[in-house]
Amino acid sequence: MSIPPQNGWEGGRLLIDLAAIAANYMILHSLAGPQTEAGAAVKANAYGLGLAEIAPVLYEAGCRTFFVAHLAEGVALRRLIAPDSRIFVLHGPPPDTAPAFLAHNLLPVLNSLPQVQEWQALAQNEKSALPAALQVDSGMSRFGLTEDDVNALRLNNGLAGIETILVMSHLACADTPEHPLNRHQLDTFERLRKRLPPAPASLSASSGMFLGPDWRFDLVRPGATLYGINPTPGQPNPMQPVIRLQARVIQTRHVPAGAHVGYGATFVTQRPTNIALLGIGYGDGFPRRLGGKGVAVFPEQPDIKLPIIGRISMDSLAVDITDLAGLPPAPGVAFDLIGPHNPLDETAFLADTIGYELLTDLGSRYHRTHHDPRKG
Ligand SMILES: Cc1ncc(COP(=O)(O)O)c(C=O)c1O
């Protein structure tokens, strides 16, 4: 008889709070106000946290416009949510794939003249205008039609066959409100969109929404904030935390002062030290850069930040637990590596990265629980 995997058989667990995601969507929905639709970016498997579980929760919360990066992600999402929802594929149609968009009820974001032409060719075949979003590059030099492209399209009736249902662009520095590029991109977006067919407009994702009403237009496309990342770095986080990452104790040990810890012997104890070896490492997507920098928290003594010492191994890491009161925690006990006292953004900062990368790197090795406290 085969026994299915159980919680506790892995080195760690990842708890994903679906109610917090729904609550974050509602916070963004009310910030957007009655004139602005709140969509949701669910690309990269809903920022690594599970498209299959999260997309229906967002739909239930009222979201009807979703953004993914790739056609393949769009196809996967279409199977999960009702046909009355719109799915925009941000990267547009890869060469020769336009018919797949129709087959799967997906909307392309057209970013370049070749993508416009690809969509037009399909419209000609179908003998009907086809809906699409047009992206303009307002100053990030990433995706989108340039000013010259927009002018060329205008002069040559170059949008024949395309029903423009959204004109969009993306901000490069929205998490730095004082950055002059924000205003420059807003002005450029306003200018370019007037040269395109009248259509609803979208400029902002998470942080852009917090720049003020001028940046919100008809539709916003938040992603990170839904998953608990702070859209206003340096200020209190207005969003609810969504994840808790816990690693289990494999063994504890007592070592004298002068002991080497971990690969490369980069850490040498300065005092007699109690060490807990926890069952998460870089093979779980936990950043190796947190060796000597990150902190773990024992939930029963949450005020003590326990340093991760030495290099992080593939499957484990070492924590100095000398300062904990009482006996060392037993094997199997869970420590927070990301939790209420060592939150996602702070952990990402210590790893010299951003919450986005930390989330999307978390692997499939954890015991993952999608919990919805609203449903018990
Ligand atoms: C075009 C576009 N829209 C929306 C988003 C969502 O951004 P955020 O996660 O910062 O809310 C992204 C993310 O990279 C994006 O590229």
Side-chain angles (χ1 to χ4, degrees), residues 40-43 47 67 90-91 109 135 140 142-143 168-171 174 202-209 220-227 229 356:
V42 293
K43 57 205 174 83
Y47 288 47
F67 293 87
L90 290 166
H91 286 185
V109 174
Q135 174 147 228
M140 188 177 178
R142 200 173 64 163
F143 303 115
M168 61 173 277
S169 191
H170 193 56
L171 296 168
S202 176
L203 179 62
S204 285
S206 294
S207 294
M209 292 184 68
V220 286
R221 316 180 302 268
T225 32
L226 293 169
Y227 314 108
I229 290 174
Y356 296 65

Side-chain angles (χ1 to χ4, degrees), residues 175 229 233 285-290 293 338 344-361:
D175 59 355
I229 290 174
F286 193 72
R288 188 169 175 272
R289 291 183 300 283
L290 284 173
K293 291 189 186 156
I338 298 172
L344 174 67
D345 289 305
E346 273 177 31
T347 307
F349 178 78
L350 293 174
D352 201 15
T353 184
I354 52 176
Y356 296 65
E357 187 182 37
L358 189 46
L359 276 189
T360 52
D361 275 357

Side-chain angles (χ1 to χ4, degrees), residues 173-234:
C173 303
D175 59 355
T176 314
E178 65 283 6
H179 201 294
L181 190 57
N182 290 319
R183 173 57 63 177
H184 174 79
Q185 285 199 261
L186 178 66
D187 294 344
T188 306
F189 182 58
E190 289 280 26
R191 187 159 46 80
L192 292 184
R193 85 186 181 95
K194 289 194 184 107
R195 298 186 201 165
L196 291 166
S202 176
L203 179 62
S204 285
S206 294
S207 294
M209 292 184 68
F210 289 81
L211 291 175
D214 285 358
W215 271 264
R216 292 185 207 131
F217 292 90
D218 303 295
L219 170 68
V220 286
R221 316 180 302 268
T225 32
L226 293 169
Y227 314 108
I229 290 174
N230 188 356
T232 54

Side-chain angles (χ1 to χ4, degrees), residues 1 5 12 21 39 64 80 83 85 91 98 112 122 125 139 161 172 177 242 274 276 371-373 376:
M1 188 183 75
I21 293 177
R64 291 293 178 273
L80 298 167
S85 51
H91 286 185
S112 64
L122 181 67
N125 260 358
V242 167
N274 286 336
H371 178 49
D372 194 339

